[in-house]
Structure formats: C-alpha cells, structure tokens
Amino acid sequence: MPLKVVPQRIFFFAIALIVGGAALSGFTMYKLFTSERWVRHTYLVRLEMSQIEAYLSRAGRIRLSYLNTADRRYQKDFEDTRKLLEENLVAIHTLTNDNPEQLANCEQLDKAVNSRLDILQLSIQQGGAMVSNEQLALTEALMNSAYNTSAVIERMDQIEEDLLQRRRAITSSIFVIILVILVAILIASIFLFRMYYRLLAAQLRERQLAETNARALSTELMHVQDEERRKLSVELHDGIGQII
C-alpha cells in the first residue's frame, strides 16, 4: 500500500517544483525587463542632457556667425535653437520627476541655460551696436555661464550613472540568486523523478513476482489435483476389479 501512495506524492511534488521554477523564470524575465527599462530611462536622460550641450554650442556658433556677418537669418536660427532647448528642459523634467535630487538639479539647469541664452540673445540683438569691450564682457559672462551649465549637467550625469550601477548590481544579484534556485529545483526534480521511477520499478517487480508466484501456485495446485485424480482412478479401478 505505501508503494502505491508514495510515488504519486513524489511525482506531484516534482511537478510542483517545475511549476515553481517556471514561475521564478517568469519573475526573472520581469525583473530583467524592468532593469532594461530603467537602463533605457537613464540613457534617455543622458541623451537629453547631451542635446542641451549640443544646442548650446549651436547657439554659441550662431552668435559668432551673426557677429561676423550681421546676417539676420541667424536671429531666426537662434530662436529655433532656443525653442529646442526649452523642449529638452521639459523632457528632462518629465524624465526625472520621480527623483527629488534630480528635480532640484533641473531647476539649477534651467537657470543656467536660460542665463546663457539671455546673454547670447543680448549679444545677437545689439550686435554691432556694442563696442568690443562690451562684447568681451559678454564673452566672459558666457564662459562663466557655460561653466555653471556644464557643472550641473555633469552632476546630473553622475547621479544617473550611480543609479544605473546600483540598478545593474541589484538585477545581477537577483539573477544569480534565481539562477541558483532554478538549478537547485532542476536537480531536485531530477532526483525526485529518479526516485519515482525506482519506486514504480519496485512496484512492477513486486507485481511480476506476485504474478509469478501465483502462476507457480496455480500450477502446483493443478499438479496436486491431477495426482489426486490419478490416485482416485487407480483406487476405483482396483476396487472394481476385486469386486468382479
């Protein structure tokens, strides 16, 4: 009786382990997907910050081009570049709205960028009306503003890098732990299925032995019955012969 119950329990326990392993695999995939999403989020923030630096450099080149040529088309180019920078700043605010530290940096970045743009715009608007000393003063102010902007962007980029490294470390740890658990589940499942097979094989051997014994007993019983019938026939034959 126990051999009929135990294999079933072992089999269902092994199936439960496999199902648990599948669930853990799904959880691992979810964590990896989440980690990948955060990695992409970090790269998006960095991309927006690099775009800000690129557009600020473009605005600086537009200012120099205007001062050299006095071509009013550069004023339109500057306005377009300023709009793109405003869109970039809004995008960074949206991407970092879950991080108070980054939001504070965004406020500083807004001030630094707008200050730099205001200086560039003033230089473009007044252009040739300004004497060289005034343009030099604006150039110095631009350098200070550029330094402040770069400092804020560098600080924000470092925060994103730290976040990225922590997220990767957590994800790697979870992946390793779940991988170990899955390997342990696989080994345990193989062991349980081996036990299940051995118990079934033992059941089969017992059944075959019982059938063999039953056949042997049946054959022996038939042999005994034949002997008894033969003896009875002989005795009847002898008795009838004596009577005759």
Side-chain angles (χ1 to χ4, degrees):
M1 184 67 179
L3 287 176
K4 293 181 180 179
V5 178
V6 172
Q8 294 177 355
R9 290 180 178 176
I10 291 176
F11 177 79
F12 287 122
F13 187 55
I15 293 297
L17 281 176
I18 293 174
V19 172
L24 281 174
S25 298
F27 177 74
T28 305
M29 295 301 295
Y30 170 75
K31 294 299 293 182
L32 290 176
F33 173 78
T34 303
S35 175
E36 177 64 21
R37 185 181 64 184
W38 281 113
V39 169
R40 282 188 277 113
H41 176 273
T42 300
Y43 285 126
L44 283 175
V45 174
R46 287 179 161 181
L47 178 62
E48 293 295 337
M49 289 189 294
S50 65
Q51 283 291 90
I52 285 178
E53 291 183 317
Y55 287 140
L56 286 173
S57 297
R58 181 195 294 181
R61 291 194 300 272
I62 290 172
R63 177 237 180 187
L64 289 176
S65 298
Y66 179 76
L67 292 178
N68 291 330
T69 63
D71 190 342
R72 292 189 177 277
R73 288 180 300 177
Y74 288 114
Q75 293 181 352
K76 177 65 168 56
D77 292 340
F78 181 83
E79 292 299 328
D80 293 339
T81 303
R82 184 159 197 164
K83 289 179 181 178
L84 292 173
L85 278 165
E86 290 172 354
E87 293 175 0
N88 278 129
L89 291 172
V90 171
I92 292 178
H93 273 280
T94 302
L95 289 171
T96 60
N97 60 3
D98 60 336
N99 189 329
E101 185 178 6
Q102 288 290 63
L103 282 178
N105 287 326
C106 282
E107 296 296 332
Q108 296 179 21
L109 182 62
D110 287 346
K111 294 178 182 178
V113 170
N114 286 319
S115 173
R116 187 169 172 180
L117 289 174
D118 289 341
I119 296 171
L120 287 168
Q121 189 166 18
L122 177 62
S123 178
I124 290 174
Q125 287 175 347
Q126 297 189 5
M130 300 181 70
V131 297
S132 59
N133 290 337
E134 292 175 336
Q135 288 290 358
L136 287 174
L138 284 178
T139 302
E140 185 178 353
L142 280 173
M143 292 178 62
N144 292 332
S145 179
Y147 174 80
N148 293 334
T149 305
S150 298
V152 176
I153 291 177
E154 186 176 336
R155 187 162 61 247
M156 293 180 69
D157 187 71
Q158 185 60 49
I159 291 174
E160 291 297 325
E161 176 65 22
D162 293 341
L163 287 173
L164 179 62
Q165 293 302 324
R166 285 201 297 269
R167 288 163 182 164
R168 282 178 173 172
I170 292 172
T171 303
S172 298
S173 300
I174 293 175
F175 180 78
V176 171
I177 291 172
I178 293 179
L179 182 63
V180 170
I181 293 174
L182 287 176
V183 171
I185 288 175
L186 177 62
I187 294 173
S189 299
I190 293 173
F191 176 74
L192 289 173
F193 277 120
R194 181 176 175 82
M195 287 182 60
Y196 176 70
Y197 171 78
R198 293 179 65 181
L199 289 172
L200 286 181
Q203 274 190 343
L204 181 61
R205 286 194 298 270
E206 278 196 3
R207 186 173 298 173
Q208 289 175 342
L209 180 60
E211 290 176 355
T212 301
N213 291 336
R215 285 195 296 269
L217 182 60
S218 177
T219 302
E220 184 67 21
L221 181 60
M222 292 175 63
H223 181 70
V224 171
Q225 288 176 345
D226 289 341
E227 284 292 323
E228 290 296 326
R229 281 195 288 268
R230 189 180 63 78
K231 289 180 181 179
L232 181 59
S233 297
V234 171
E235 289 177 357
L236 287 174
H237 182 270
D238 291 343
I240 292 173
Q242 291 178 359
I243 294 173
I244 294 175

Short mmCIF file of all heavy atoms in Angstrom, two decimals, residues 61-115:
data_model
loop_
_atom_site.label_atom_id
_atom_site.label_comp_id
_atom_site.label_asym_id
_atom_site.label_seq_id
_atom_site.Cartn_x
_atom_site.Cartn_y
_atom_site.Cartn_z
N ARG A 61 27.67 79.21 -31.67
CA ARG A 61 28.17 79.37 -33.04
C ARG A 61 27.32 80.36 -33.83
O ARG A 61 27.83 81.13 -34.64
CB ARG A 61 28.20 78.01 -33.74
CG ARG A 61 29.26 77.04 -33.20
CD ARG A 61 29.47 75.86 -34.14
NE ARG A 61 28.24 75.10 -34.34
CZ ARG A 61 27.85 74.09 -33.57
NH1 ARG A 61 28.60 73.73 -32.52
NH2 ARG A 61 26.74 73.43 -33.82
N ILE A 62 26.00 80.32 -33.57
CA ILE A 62 25.11 81.27 -34.24
C ILE A 62 25.47 82.70 -33.85
O ILE A 62 25.50 83.61 -34.69
CB ILE A 62 23.64 80.95 -33.89
CG1 ILE A 62 23.22 79.64 -34.54
CG2 ILE A 62 22.71 82.08 -34.32
CD1 ILE A 62 21.86 79.14 -34.10
N ARG A 63 25.77 82.90 -32.57
CA ARG A 63 26.15 84.25 -32.10
C ARG A 63 27.40 84.74 -32.80
O ARG A 63 27.48 85.88 -33.29
CB ARG A 63 26.33 84.20 -30.60
CG ARG A 63 26.79 85.52 -29.98
CD ARG A 63 28.08 85.30 -29.23
NE ARG A 63 28.56 86.52 -28.60
CZ ARG A 63 29.74 86.61 -28.00
NH1 ARG A 63 30.53 85.53 -27.93
NH2 ARG A 63 30.13 87.74 -27.46
N LEU A 64 28.42 83.86 -32.89
CA LEU A 64 29.67 84.26 -33.56
C LEU A 64 29.43 84.54 -35.05
O LEU A 64 29.99 85.49 -35.60
CB LEU A 64 30.71 83.16 -33.38
CG LEU A 64 31.29 82.99 -31.97
CD1 LEU A 64 32.24 81.80 -31.92
CD2 LEU A 64 31.99 84.27 -31.52
N SER A 65 28.61 83.69 -35.67
CA SER A 65 28.33 83.88 -37.09
C SER A 65 27.61 85.21 -37.32
O SER A 65 27.89 85.93 -38.30
CB SER A 65 27.48 82.72 -37.63
OG SER A 65 28.18 81.51 -37.52
N TYR A 66 26.69 85.55 -36.44
CA TYR A 66 25.96 86.80 -36.60
C TYR A 66 26.89 87.99 -36.40
O TYR A 66 26.82 88.99 -37.14
CB TYR A 66 24.80 86.87 -35.61
CG TYR A 66 24.03 88.16 -35.70
CD1 TYR A 66 23.15 88.39 -36.74
CD2 TYR A 66 24.21 89.16 -34.74
CE1 TYR A 66 22.46 89.59 -36.84
CE2 TYR A 66 23.53 90.36 -34.83
CZ TYR A 66 22.65 90.57 -35.88
OH TYR A 66 21.97 91.75 -35.98
N LEU A 67 27.75 87.89 -35.39
CA LEU A 67 28.68 89.00 -35.15
C LEU A 67 29.62 89.19 -36.33
O LEU A 67 30.03 90.32 -36.64
CB LEU A 67 29.48 88.75 -33.88
CG LEU A 67 28.69 88.80 -32.55
CD1 LEU A 67 29.61 88.48 -31.38
CD2 LEU A 67 28.03 90.16 -32.36
N ASN A 68 29.96 88.12 -37.02
CA ASN A 68 30.88 88.22 -38.14
C ASN A 68 30.20 88.66 -39.44
O ASN A 68 30.83 89.31 -40.28
CB ASN A 68 31.58 86.88 -38.38
CG ASN A 68 32.55 86.53 -37.25
OD1 ASN A 68 33.12 87.42 -36.62
ND2 ASN A 68 32.71 85.24 -36.98
N THR A 69 28.92 88.31 -39.59
CA THR A 69 28.26 88.58 -40.87
C THR A 69 27.11 89.58 -40.77
O THR A 69 26.70 90.15 -41.79
CB THR A 69 27.70 87.27 -41.45
OG1 THR A 69 26.69 86.75 -40.57
CG2 THR A 69 28.81 86.25 -41.64
N ALA A 70 26.56 89.76 -39.57
CA ALA A 70 25.39 90.63 -39.36
C ALA A 70 24.18 90.16 -40.18
O ALA A 70 23.29 90.94 -40.50
CB ALA A 70 25.71 92.08 -39.68
N ASP A 71 24.17 88.85 -40.51
CA ASP A 71 23.06 88.27 -41.26
C ASP A 71 21.90 87.99 -40.31
O ASP A 71 22.03 87.21 -39.36
CB ASP A 71 23.52 86.98 -41.94
CG ASP A 71 22.49 86.46 -42.92
OD1 ASP A 71 21.31 86.89 -42.85
OD2 ASP A 71 22.86 85.63 -43.77
N ARG A 72 20.73 88.60 -40.57
CA ARG A 72 19.60 88.49 -39.65
C ARG A 72 18.98 87.07 -39.65
O ARG A 72 18.19 86.75 -38.77
CB ARG A 72 18.54 89.53 -40.00
CG ARG A 72 19.00 90.96 -39.74
CD ARG A 72 17.85 91.94 -39.90
NE ARG A 72 18.29 93.29 -39.58
CZ ARG A 72 18.35 93.78 -38.35
NH1 ARG A 72 18.02 93.01 -37.32
NH2 ARG A 72 18.75 95.03 -38.14
N ARG A 73 19.33 86.28 -40.61
CA ARG A 73 18.80 84.91 -40.60
C ARG A 73 19.29 84.14 -39.38
O ARG A 73 18.63 83.21 -38.91
CB ARG A 73 19.24 84.18 -41.88
CG ARG A 73 18.51 84.65 -43.14
CD ARG A 73 18.99 83.90 -44.35
NE ARG A 73 20.44 84.10 -44.56
CZ ARG A 73 21.13 83.51 -45.54
NH1 ARG A 73 20.52 82.70 -46.37
NH2 ARG A 73 22.42 83.75 -45.67
N TYR A 74 20.43 84.53 -38.85
CA TYR A 74 20.96 83.86 -37.66
C TYR A 74 20.08 84.12 -36.43
O TYR A 74 20.05 83.33 -35.50
CB TYR A 74 22.40 84.28 -37.39
CG TYR A 74 23.38 83.70 -38.39
CD1 TYR A 74 24.06 84.54 -39.26
CD2 TYR A 74 23.60 82.34 -38.45
CE1 TYR A 74 24.95 84.02 -40.19
CE2 TYR A 74 24.49 81.81 -39.36
CZ TYR A 74 25.16 82.65 -40.23
OH TYR A 74 26.04 82.12 -41.15
N GLN A 75 19.37 85.26 -36.44
CA GLN A 75 18.46 85.52 -35.32
C GLN A 75 17.33 84.49 -35.29
O GLN A 75 16.93 84.01 -34.23
CB GLN A 75 17.90 86.94 -35.43
CG GLN A 75 18.94 88.02 -35.24
CD GLN A 75 18.35 89.42 -35.32
OE1 GLN A 75 17.18 89.61 -35.65
NE2 GLN A 75 19.18 90.43 -35.00
N LYS A 76 16.81 84.17 -36.49
CA LYS A 76 15.78 83.14 -36.58
C LYS A 76 16.32 81.78 -36.14
O LYS A 76 15.67 81.02 -35.42
CB LYS A 76 15.28 83.05 -38.03
CG LYS A 76 14.25 81.97 -38.29
CD LYS A 76 12.95 82.25 -37.55
CE LYS A 76 11.83 81.34 -38.04
NZ LYS A 76 12.10 79.91 -37.96
N ASP A 77 17.55 81.47 -36.57
CA ASP A 77 18.18 80.21 -36.16
C ASP A 77 18.33 80.15 -34.64
O ASP A 77 18.12 79.10 -34.02
CB ASP A 77 19.55 80.06 -36.81
CG ASP A 77 19.45 79.87 -38.32
OD1 ASP A 77 18.35 79.48 -38.78
OD2 ASP A 77 20.45 80.10 -39.02
N PHE A 78 18.68 81.30 -34.06
CA PHE A 78 18.83 81.33 -32.60
C PHE A 78 17.49 81.08 -31.91
O PHE A 78 17.42 80.32 -30.93
CB PHE A 78 19.41 82.68 -32.16
CG PHE A 78 19.61 82.79 -30.68
CD1 PHE A 78 20.75 82.28 -30.08
CD2 PHE A 78 18.63 83.39 -29.87
CE1 PHE A 78 20.92 82.38 -28.70
CE2 PHE A 78 18.80 83.47 -28.50
CZ PHE A 78 19.95 82.97 -27.91
N GLU A 79 16.42 81.67 -32.39
CA GLU A 79 15.10 81.47 -31.79
C GLU A 79 14.67 80.01 -31.88
O GLU A 79 14.12 79.44 -30.93
CB GLU A 79 14.06 82.38 -32.46
CG GLU A 79 14.25 83.86 -32.19
CD GLU A 79 14.15 84.19 -30.72
OE1 GLU A 79 13.37 83.50 -30.02
OE2 GLU A 79 14.83 85.14 -30.26
N ASP A 80 14.93 79.41 -33.04
CA ASP A 80 14.60 77.98 -33.21
C ASP A 80 15.39 77.12 -32.24
O ASP A 80 14.86 76.17 -31.64
CB ASP A 80 14.88 77.54 -34.65
CG ASP A 80 13.95 78.21 -35.65
OD1 ASP A 80 12.87 78.68 -35.22
OD2 ASP A 80 14.30 78.25 -36.84
N THR A 81 16.66 77.44 -32.09
CA THR A 81 17.51 76.67 -31.16
C THR A 81 17.03 76.83 -29.73
O THR A 81 17.02 75.88 -28.94
CB THR A 81 18.98 77.12 -31.29
OG1 THR A 81 19.40 76.97 -32.63
CG2 THR A 81 19.88 76.30 -30.38
N ARG A 82 16.59 78.03 -29.38
CA ARG A 82 16.09 78.27 -28.02
C ARG A 82 14.83 77.44 -27.75
O ARG A 82 14.66 76.90 -26.66
CB ARG A 82 15.83 79.76 -27.81
CG ARG A 82 15.40 80.08 -26.39
CD ARG A 82 15.63 81.52 -26.04
NE ARG A 82 15.59 81.71 -24.59
CZ ARG A 82 16.04 82.77 -23.95
NH1 ARG A 82 16.58 83.77 -24.65
NH2 ARG A 82 15.99 82.87 -22.64
N LYS A 83 13.97 77.33 -28.74
CA LYS A 83 12.75 76.51 -28.57
C LYS A 83 13.11 75.04 -28.37
O LYS A 83 12.50 74.35 -27.54
CB LYS A 83 11.86 76.68 -29.80
CG LYS A 83 11.18 78.03 -29.90
CD LYS A 83 10.33 78.12 -31.15
CE LYS A 83 9.67 79.50 -31.27
NZ LYS A 83 8.86 79.63 -32.50
N LEU A 84 14.11 74.58 -29.12
CA LEU A 84 14.55 73.19 -28.95
C LEU A 84 15.11 72.96 -27.55
O LEU A 84 14.88 71.91 -26.93
CB LEU A 84 15.60 72.84 -30.01
CG LEU A 84 15.09 72.77 -31.46
CD1 LEU A 84 16.26 72.60 -32.42
CD2 LEU A 84 14.10 71.62 -31.62
N LEU A 85 15.85 73.93 -27.05
CA LEU A 85 16.40 73.82 -25.69
C LEU A 85 15.28 73.79 -24.65
O LEU A 85 15.34 73.03 -23.67
CB LEU A 85 17.35 74.98 -25.42
CG LEU A 85 18.77 74.81 -25.96
CD1 LEU A 85 19.50 76.14 -25.97
CD2 LEU A 85 19.52 73.79 -25.12
N GLU A 86 14.25 74.59 -24.85
CA GLU A 86 13.13 74.58 -23.92
C GLU A 86 12.43 73.22 -23.92
O GLU A 86 12.04 72.71 -22.86
CB GLU A 86 12.14 75.69 -24.30
CG GLU A 86 12.67 77.10 -24.03
CD GLU A 86 11.76 78.18 -24.58
OE1 GLU A 86 10.76 77.82 -25.27
OE2 GLU A 86 12.04 79.37 -24.34
N GLU A 87 12.30 72.62 -25.09
CA GLU A 87 11.72 71.28 -25.18
C GLU A 87 12.59 70.26 -24.46
O GLU A 87 12.08 69.35 -23.79
CB GLU A 87 11.53 70.89 -26.64
CG GLU A 87 10.48 71.72 -27.37
CD GLU A 87 10.42 71.39 -28.85
OE1 GLU A 87 11.19 70.51 -29.29
OE2 GLU A 87 9.60 72.01 -29.55
N ASN A 88 13.90 70.38 -24.61
CA ASN A 88 14.82 69.49 -23.90
C ASN A 88 14.68 69.60 -22.39
O ASN A 88 14.66 68.59 -21.67
CB ASN A 88 16.27 69.79 -24.30
CG ASN A 88 16.66 69.13 -25.60
OD1 ASN A 88 17.18 69.77 -26.49
ND2 ASN A 88 16.42 67.83 -25.73
N LEU A 89 14.58 70.83 -21.91
CA LEU A 89 14.45 71.04 -20.47
C LEU A 89 13.15 70.44 -19.93
O LEU A 89 13.14 69.82 -18.86
CB LEU A 89 14.52 72.53 -20.15
CG LEU A 89 15.89 73.19 -20.38
CD1 LEU A 89 15.78 74.70 -20.23
CD2 LEU A 89 16.93 72.63 -19.41
N VAL A 90 12.07 70.60 -20.69
CA VAL A 90 10.79 70.00 -20.29
C VAL A 90 10.90 68.48 -20.27
O VAL A 90 10.41 67.81 -19.35
CB VAL A 90 9.66 70.45 -21.24
CG1 VAL A 90 8.38 69.67 -20.96
CG2 VAL A 90 9.40 71.95 -21.09
N ALA A 91 11.57 67.92 -21.26
CA ALA A 91 11.74 66.46 -21.33
C ALA A 91 12.53 65.94 -20.13
O ALA A 91 12.19 64.90 -19.55
CB ALA A 91 12.44 66.08 -22.63
N ILE A 92 13.59 66.66 -19.75
CA ILE A 92 14.39 66.23 -18.60
C ILE A 92 13.57 66.32 -17.32
O ILE A 92 13.64 65.44 -16.45
CB ILE A 92 15.68 67.08 -18.49
CG1 ILE A 92 16.62 66.76 -19.66
CG2 ILE A 92 16.39 66.83 -17.17
CD1 ILE A 92 17.88 67.56 -19.67
N HIS A 93 12.77 67.37 -17.18
CA HIS A 93 11.89 67.48 -16.01
C HIS A 93 10.94 66.28 -15.94
O HIS A 93 10.72 65.71 -14.87
CB HIS A 93 11.08 68.78 -16.08
CG HIS A 93 11.78 69.96 -15.48
ND1 HIS A 93 11.81 70.19 -14.12
CD2 HIS A 93 12.49 70.96 -16.06
CE1 HIS A 93 12.50 71.29 -13.88
NE2 HIS A 93 12.92 71.79 -15.04
N THR A 94 10.40 65.90 -17.07
CA THR A 94 9.46 64.77 -17.12
C THR A 94 10.16 63.45 -16.77
O THR A 94 9.61 62.62 -16.02
CB THR A 94 8.83 64.66 -18.52
OG1 THR A 94 8.18 65.89 -18.84
CG2 THR A 94 7.81 63.53 -18.57
N LEU A 95 11.35 63.26 -17.29
CA LEU A 95 12.07 62.01 -17.05
C LEU A 95 12.56 61.86 -15.62
O LEU A 95 12.74 60.74 -15.13
CB LEU A 95 13.27 61.92 -18.01
CG LEU A 95 12.94 61.69 -19.49
CD1 LEU A 95 14.18 61.86 -20.35
CD2 LEU A 95 12.35 60.29 -19.69
N THR A 96 12.80 62.99 -14.94
CA THR A 96 13.38 62.93 -13.59
C THR A 96 12.37 63.34 -12.50
O THR A 96 12.78 63.64 -11.38
CB THR A 96 14.62 63.84 -13.50
OG1 THR A 96 14.23 65.19 -13.82
CG2 THR A 96 15.69 63.38 -14.47
N ASN A 97 11.09 63.34 -12.84
CA ASN A 97 10.11 63.83 -11.85
C ASN A 97 9.93 62.89 -10.66
O ASN A 97 9.26 63.23 -9.69
CB ASN A 97 8.75 64.08 -12.52
CG ASN A 97 8.19 62.80 -13.16
OD1 ASN A 97 8.77 61.72 -13.05
ND2 ASN A 97 7.07 62.94 -13.82
N ASP A 98 10.52 61.70 -10.71
CA ASP A 98 10.44 60.77 -9.58
C ASP A 98 11.67 60.85 -8.68
O ASP A 98 11.78 60.10 -7.71
CB ASP A 98 10.27 59.33 -10.09
CG ASP A 98 11.45 58.88 -10.96
OD1 ASP A 98 12.13 59.76 -11.54
OD2 ASP A 98 11.67 57.66 -11.05
N ASN A 99 12.58 61.75 -9.01
CA ASN A 99 13.83 61.87 -8.25
C ASN A 99 13.98 63.30 -7.75
O ASN A 99 14.34 64.20 -8.53
CB ASN A 99 15.02 61.48 -9.15
CG ASN A 99 16.32 61.35 -8.39
OD1 ASN A 99 16.53 62.04 -7.39
ND2 ASN A 99 17.20 60.48 -8.85
N PRO A 100 13.72 63.55 -6.46
CA PRO A 100 13.79 64.93 -5.93
C PRO A 100 15.15 65.58 -6.14
O PRO A 100 15.23 66.79 -6.43
CB PRO A 100 13.48 64.74 -4.44
CG PRO A 100 12.71 63.46 -4.36
CD PRO A 100 13.28 62.59 -5.44
N GLU A 101 16.22 64.80 -5.99
CA GLU A 101 17.56 65.37 -6.16
C GLU A 101 17.77 65.85 -7.60
O GLU A 101 18.29 66.94 -7.83
CB GLU A 101 18.62 64.32 -5.80
CG GLU A 101 20.05 64.87 -5.83
CD GLU A 101 21.07 63.84 -5.43
OE1 GLU A 101 20.67 62.65 -5.24
OE2 GLU A 101 22.25 64.19 -5.30
N GLN A 102 17.33 65.05 -8.56
CA GLN A 102 17.47 65.44 -9.94
C GLN A 102 16.56 66.61 -10.31
O GLN A 102 16.91 67.46 -11.13
CB GLN A 102 17.18 64.25 -10.87
CG GLN A 102 18.27 63.18 -10.87
CD GLN A 102 19.53 63.66 -11.56
OE1 GLN A 102 20.17 64.62 -11.10
NE2 GLN A 102 19.92 63.00 -12.63
N LEU A 103 15.39 66.66 -9.68
CA LEU A 103 14.50 67.80 -9.93
C LEU A 103 15.13 69.11 -9.47
O LEU A 103 15.01 70.15 -10.13
CB LEU A 103 13.15 67.58 -9.22
CG LEU A 103 12.18 66.60 -9.91
CD1 LEU A 103 10.92 66.44 -9.08
CD2 LEU A 103 11.83 67.09 -11.31
N ALA A 104 15.80 69.05 -8.30
CA ALA A 104 16.50 70.24 -7.82
C ALA A 104 17.61 70.64 -8.79
O ALA A 104 17.82 71.83 -9.08
CB ALA A 104 17.08 69.98 -6.43
N ASN A 105 18.31 69.64 -9.32
CA ASN A 105 19.34 69.93 -10.32
C ASN A 105 18.73 70.50 -11.60
O ASN A 105 19.32 71.36 -12.26
CB ASN A 105 20.13 68.66 -10.64
CG ASN A 105 21.08 68.27 -9.52
OD1 ASN A 105 21.63 69.14 -8.83
ND2 ASN A 105 21.26 66.98 -9.32
N CYS A 106 17.54 70.01 -11.95
CA CYS A 106 16.86 70.53 -13.13
C CYS A 106 16.54 72.01 -12.99
O CYS A 106 16.65 72.78 -13.97
CB CYS A 106 15.57 69.74 -13.39
SG CYS A 106 15.84 68.14 -14.15
N GLU A 107 16.14 72.40 -11.79
CA GLU A 107 15.87 73.82 -11.55
C GLU A 107 17.14 74.65 -11.77
O GLU A 107 17.10 75.72 -12.40
CB GLU A 107 15.34 74.02 -10.14
CG GLU A 107 14.00 73.36 -9.85
CD GLU A 107 12.88 73.94 -10.70
OE1 GLU A 107 12.98 75.14 -11.08
OE2 GLU A 107 11.92 73.23 -11.01
N GLN A 108 18.26 74.16 -11.26
CA GLN A 108 19.52 74.87 -11.46
C GLN A 108 19.92 74.88 -12.94
O GLN A 108 20.46 75.87 -13.45
CB GLN A 108 20.62 74.22 -10.63
CG GLN A 108 20.38 74.30 -9.13
CD GLN A 108 21.49 73.62 -8.33
OE1 GLN A 108 22.59 73.45 -8.83
NE2 GLN A 108 21.19 73.26 -7.10
N LEU A 109 19.64 73.76 -13.61
CA LEU A 109 19.97 73.69 -15.03
C LEU A 109 19.14 74.69 -15.83
O LEU A 109 19.65 75.34 -16.75
CB LEU A 109 19.73 72.27 -15.55
CG LEU A 109 20.08 72.01 -17.02
CD1 LEU A 109 21.56 72.24 -17.27
CD2 LEU A 109 19.69 70.58 -17.41
N ASP A 110 17.86 74.80 -15.48
CA ASP A 110 17.01 75.78 -16.16
C ASP A 110 17.58 77.19 -16.03
O ASP A 110 17.67 77.94 -17.02
CB ASP A 110 15.59 75.76 -15.55
CG ASP A 110 14.81 74.53 -15.96
OD1 ASP A 110 15.25 73.85 -16.90
OD2 ASP A 110 13.76 74.26 -15.35
N LYS A 111 17.97 77.54 -14.82
CA LYS A 111 18.51 78.89 -14.59
C LYS A 111 19.81 79.10 -15.36
O LYS A 111 20.01 80.15 -15.99
CB LYS A 111 18.75 79.11 -13.10
CG LYS A 111 17.48 79.14 -12.25
CD LYS A 111 17.80 79.30 -10.78
CE LYS A 111 16.52 79.30 -9.94
NZ LYS A 111 16.82 79.42 -8.48
N ALA A 112 20.68 78.09 -15.33
CA ALA A 112 21.97 78.22 -16.01
C ALA A 112 21.79 78.34 -17.53
O ALA A 112 22.42 79.17 -18.19
CB ALA A 112 22.88 77.03 -15.68
N VAL A 113 20.91 77.50 -18.08
CA VAL A 113 20.68 77.52 -19.53
C VAL A 113 20.04 78.83 -19.96
O VAL A 113 20.46 79.48 -20.94
CB VAL A 113 19.81 76.32 -19.96
CG1 VAL A 113 19.36 76.48 -21.42
CG2 VAL A 113 20.59 75.02 -19.80
N ASN A 114 19.01 79.25 -19.22
CA ASN A 114 18.32 80.49 -19.59
C ASN A 114 19.24 81.71 -19.44
O ASN A 114 19.19 82.65 -20.25
CB ASN A 114 17.07 80.68 -18.74
CG ASN A 114 15.95 79.74 -19.15
OD1 ASN A 114 15.72 79.51 -20.34
ND2 ASN A 114 15.25 79.17 -18.19
N SER A 115 20.09 81.68 -18.43
CA SER A 115 21.05 82.77 -18.26
C SER A 115 22.00 82.83 -19.44
O SER A 115 22.29 83.91 -19.99
CB SER A 115 21.82 82.59 -16.96
OG SER A 115 22.86 83.54 -16.84
#
